[in-house]
């Protein structure tokens, strides 16, 4: 099967993008460019990203199907904050956009490859 290495690549890309996006969201609101010195309650925005982690690690197809919808929320936040803020926050917003798009694409690629393998 030629699809197995491709599926594994999409799997690990999705896991890496999810972990990187979670770390970015936490670091952004805690250390890098918080709204208030010392961090803000926006640190809690990384908590929904923990929900799909174990499903992705266990390669559950259902998790790969709903995680892109979660990634779209972080893409939207990145676009809004990238447009409205300046300086370091804008750069972090661009990184959030890139990571959310990587997560979105990796999940969709995994679903596509896995569903094609079972035909």
């Amino acid at each position: 099967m030629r699809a197995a290495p491709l599926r594994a690549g999409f799997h690990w890309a999705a896991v890496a993008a999810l972990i990187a996006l979670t770390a970015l969201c936490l670091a952004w609101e805690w250390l890098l460019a918080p709204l208030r010195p010392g961090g803000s309650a926006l640190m809690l925005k990384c908590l929904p990203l923990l929900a799909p982690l174990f499903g992705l690690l266990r390669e559950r197809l259902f998790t790969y199907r709903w995680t892109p919808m979660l990634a779209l929320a972080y893409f939207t936040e990145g676009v809004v904050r990238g447009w409205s803020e300046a300086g370091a926050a804008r750069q972090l917003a661009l990184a959030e956009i890139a990571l959310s798009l990587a997560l979105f694409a990796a999940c969709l690629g995994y679903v596509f490859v896995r569903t094609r393998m079972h035909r």
Side-chain angles (χ1 to χ4, degrees):
M1 284 189 189
R2 294 185 327 221
L6 189 59
R7 186 184 85 183
F10 281 128
H11 165 70
W12 290 112
V15 170
L18 179 68
I19 291 171
L21 185 59
T22 305
L24 173 74
C25 288
L26 184 61
W28 182 354
E29 299 303 337
W30 187 22
L31 301 169
L32 300 175
L35 291 176
R36 296 181 184 167
S40 68
L42 279 177
M43 285 188 292
L44 298 176
K45 75 179 181 183
C46 72
L47 290 179
L49 290 170
L50 297 177
L53 182 61
F54 291 112
L56 293 184
L57 287 171
R58 293 181 181 128
E59 297 190 51
R60 293 191 173 153
L61 187 59
F62 180 71
T63 306
Y64 277 94
R65 287 183 172 162
W66 66 261
T67 301
M69 298 304 117
L70 180 64
L72 288 177
Y74 290 87
F75 171 78
T76 304
E77 189 219 4
V79 169
V80 169
R81 291 189 74 178
W83 184 266
S84 63
E85 294 187 22
R90 179 172 288 163
Q91 300 305 316
L92 293 168
L94 293 175
E96 183 177 32
I97 291 169
L99 288 172
S100 63
L101 287 176
L103 177 60
F104 186 87
C107 286
L108 291 184
Y110 180 88
V111 170
F112 179 77
V113 169
R114 186 161 164 191
T115 55
R116 288 285 182 168
M117 284 177 45
H118 293 297
R119 284 188 179 185

